Amino acid sequence: MRVNVRSLRKAGFLLLGAALMLLAGLSFYNSRHLKEPVVLGPSVTEVKKLSDYFEGLEGTINDANVYVLEGQEPGGSVLILGGTHPEEPAGRLATWILAENAVLEQGRLFLILSANRSGTTVTRLGGAYPPDYSIETPWGERTFRMGDRWSNPLDQWPDPEVYIHYPSRQELAYMDIRNLNRTWPGRANGTLTEKTCFAIIQMIKEEKIDIAIDLHEAELQYPVISVIVAHEKGQDLAAMTSMMISGMGGFDLGMENSPHALRGLSHREIGDHTDAISLLLEAPEPMLDATRGRTDRKLLLEGKDEFVVKAGEHGLLFEKIDENGWPIDVRVGRHCSAILQILELWTEDHPERGVVVTSVPRYAEVIENGTGAYLHDHRKVSPARLRFE
Amino acid sequence: MIITILYYVLIGFIAGLILWNLFKTRKWQDELLYVIILMPFILRLLRLK
């Protein structure tokens, strides 16, 4: 009789464990497989894959969509990368707005919304991040995967003791072998993350990209924040953009030179290994700060955190913050305005290689109307004009 | 790839050991503990985490 009671108890514990595993497993599965719709905007003429430029990515999770927007008039080509670090959502959302709204009058725009798609399918291990977040729109909600800074270990594993960057052989932190912004220019026989960079480099060369813009967000305790980081080829363009935005754009945007000594970053390696000008934009994201409080969707979208504010009172931050925080619309709006300003200045200086874009909201418009106002109802679109990330 | 396969074999072996201990123990506290520590191993085997 005693044995039976014990067996029943063991079975009960196992059932309880199975139920908890089911709940956790479903959350992990949904986080990895959530479909993010993209309504193709009026100027999207083609959706390519990264494997069109490098076969080695075919069939992998990082074979990302490449949205090609073409104008009536020939001109230059610009690449915008969102989702290099998927846990910095303003960059992805800005590319979403461009893909769904931009009208190209001249030149071509190449958009990658999930540069490290593997990184969008996992959240920070042990970080208690929300698995996803939703943006309010006039027609309902659009839900996006939260993502992480690094590729999913399910897709690239194990990490080395020390990551040795190719080709510089600089020693970097072990986990940065899965960081898309530490593995440029990549290599054909490397890890998944290195192959992804290699594919994008091939695309930049093949499509004769003039400017590559990599969209990011940064913690307020990090000195490189609210800036354009520019390769030396793009210093004039970045400096002019910084002056124009800070003078008339409605917010301050600084400029930093890409350091020669720090390898693997897009602003350094794309500029060094291709003909393109490489720029990187940083917006403030309090959720990334180590001293933050509860890490939830509210903090991600509203950017309000009393502990980060307290850190600011003690002079520990490189960007200001008050009770209004850094809402997602402000961060997305900064990226939209900076991109438009870069394109305008480039086109002024290089009319034959110009890229003229309209119908994309600027900073003040995104804040006034909200990011969701520029995301279209995917339920009312024909399948031919719909893609998923 | 070989390292990954070996890793999953190792995970399966340890999960088996935990299950074996769960069936052998007579203390309910240990049974509960074994069930809790078994969960991440199973989630890894299923490639969910």
Side-chain angles (χ1 to χ4, degrees):
Chain A
M1 187 64 188
R2 270 192 160 190
V3 173
N4 286 342
V5 169
R6 197 180 302 130
S7 298
L8 278 174
R9 191 178 62 212
K10 287 179 199 289
F13 283 150
L14 270 174
L15 276 175
L16 177 69
L20 289 172
M21 257 189 301
L22 185 70
L23 284 174
L26 277 175
S27 173
F28 293 141
Y29 183 87
N30 290 335
S31 176
R32 187 161 164 85
H33 294 92
L34 176 73
K35 282 188 162 186
E36 302 168 316
V38 183
V39 177
L40 301 185
S43 287
V44 177
T45 55
E46 194 177 1
V47 181
K48 293 188 166 189
K49 304 290 279 187
L50 274 181
S51 58
D52 293 338
Y53 302 96
F54 171 53
E55 285 181 356
L57 269 191
E58 196 168 359
T60 71
I61 194 163
N62 271 13
D63 191 6
N65 290 331
V66 181
Y67 298 84
V68 185
L69 288 72
E70 292 183 87
Q72 296 288 329
E73 212 182 313
S77 299
V78 170
L79 166 66
I80 301 177
L81 297 174
T84 293
H85 292 155
E87 66 170 357
E88 299 160 13
R92 287 191 90 206
L93 292 170
T95 53
W96 237 281
I97 287 179
L98 286 160
E100 297 200 4
N101 297 275
V103 174
L104 264 283
E105 292 181 358
Q106 184 191 357
R108 297 185 304 166
L109 198 56
F110 292 79
L111 303 172
I112 301 180
L113 281 53
S114 311
N116 187 357
R117 195 173 175 285
S118 171
T120 69
T121 67
V122 66
T123 55
R124 187 163 299 189
L125 304 178
Y129 277 24
D132 54 42
Y133 61 94
S134 297
I135 300 292
E136 297 280 348
T137 74
W139 46 267
E141 283 187 341
R142 180 80 74 80
T143 302
F144 299 85
R145 296 187 296 271
M146 170 64 214
D148 195 6
R149 183 177 175 84
W150 298 281
S151 302
N152 192 331
L154 284 176
D155 303 313
Q156 184 183 315
W157 189 91
D159 293 341
E161 290 286 321
V162 175
Y163 161 43
I164 299 173
H165 171 256
Y166 174 84
S168 71
R169 299 198 59 79
Q170 186 171 71
E171 292 183 4
L172 298 171
Y174 73 97
M175 68 286 196
D176 277 339
I177 199 166
R178 288 183 284 115
N179 180 344
L180 195 78
N181 205 27
R182 295 295 183 278
T183 49
W184 299 96
R187 51 181 158 177
N189 60 349
T191 64
L192 177 71
T193 316
E194 286 177 315
K195 285 178 182 173
T196 309
C197 288
F198 181 79
I200 299 172
I201 288 281
Q202 297 312 302
M203 188 189 83
I204 290 170
K205 289 176 177 173
E206 199 172 307
E207 301 290 358
K208 297 183 170 45
I209 299 290
D210 295 291
I211 308 170
I213 305 172
D214 190 8
L215 303 180
H216 286 258
E217 294 189 84
E219 59 268 48
L220 281 66
Q221 288 168 320
Y222 185 59
V224 183
I225 189 166
S226 304
V227 294
I228 311 176
V229 187
H231 189 272
E232 48 270 27
K233 288 191 287 191
Q235 281 174 351
D236 291 349
L237 182 59
M240 280 302 294
T241 302
S242 168
M243 282 193 282
M244 295 296 286
I245 288 285
S246 301
M248 293 185 291
F251 60 94
D252 289 333
L253 184 67
M255 182 207 158
E256 296 271 351
N257 292 321
S258 170
H260 284 272
L262 186 53
R263 307 309 306 195
L265 290 105
S266 62
H267 50 74
R268 167 53 42 206
E269 307 293 353
I270 291 177
D272 280 1
H273 292 270
T274 73
D275 292 333
I277 289 172
S278 49
L279 306 172
L280 183 149
L281 301 181
E282 292 278 15
E285 186 189 353
M287 183 170 155
L288 297 176
D289 276 279
T291 55
R292 68 183 180 271
R294 188 176 175 186
T295 311
D296 56 9
R297 292 176 178 89
K298 196 167 181 287
L299 174 57
L300 178 70
L301 297 176
E302 295 181 4
K304 294 178 186 174
D305 188 288
E306 60 178 307
F307 300 102
V308 179
V309 170
K310 182 63 76 178
E313 289 168 6
H314 289 279
L316 299 172
L317 305 180
F318 292 92
E319 176 58 277
K320 62 183 182 301
I321 186 170
D322 56 22
E323 67 281 0
N324 297 317
W326 284 97
I328 191 73
D329 296 332
V330 172
R331 289 138 56 193
V332 172
R334 289 174 69 99
H335 280 333
C336 288
S337 262
I339 291 166
L340 292 174
Q341 189 66 64
I342 290 166
L343 298 182
E344 283 168 16
L345 288 165
W346 168 260
T347 304
E348 269 178 37
D349 284 351
H350 306 82
E352 76 292 347
R353 296 289 298 167
V355 176
V356 179
V357 178
T358 61
S359 303
V360 174
R362 289 179 187 273
Y363 178 67
E365 293 166 282
V366 180
I367 292 172
E368 187 181 342
N369 303 320
T371 301
Y374 304 97
L375 300 173
H376 301 290
D377 190 350
H378 54 277
R379 298 163 305 182
K380 295 181 177 169
V381 177
S382 77
R385 300 299 292 170
L386 190 61
R387 292 292 184 281
F388 291 94
E389 288 291 310
Chain B
M1 182 52 93
I2 293 169
I3 293 174
T4 301
I5 291 167
L6 287 175
Y7 174 75
Y8 280 100
V9 169
L10 189 62
I11 291 292
F13 177 68
I14 292 173
L17 282 182
I18 295 168
L19 269 174
W20 175 257
N21 283 336
L22 169 65
F23 291 128
K24 295 300 283 181
T25 187
R26 289 165 179 268
K27 292 169 68 178
W28 71 268
Q29 294 94 333
D30 286 352
E31 290 169 7
L32 192 58
L33 182 67
Y34 288 133
V35 167
I36 290 169
I37 60 175
L38 183 64
M39 284 193 272
F41 287 92
I42 301 294
L43 290 171
R44 282 176 191 218
L45 275 178
L46 297 174
R47 290 185 58 79
L48 287 167
K49 188 67 175 176

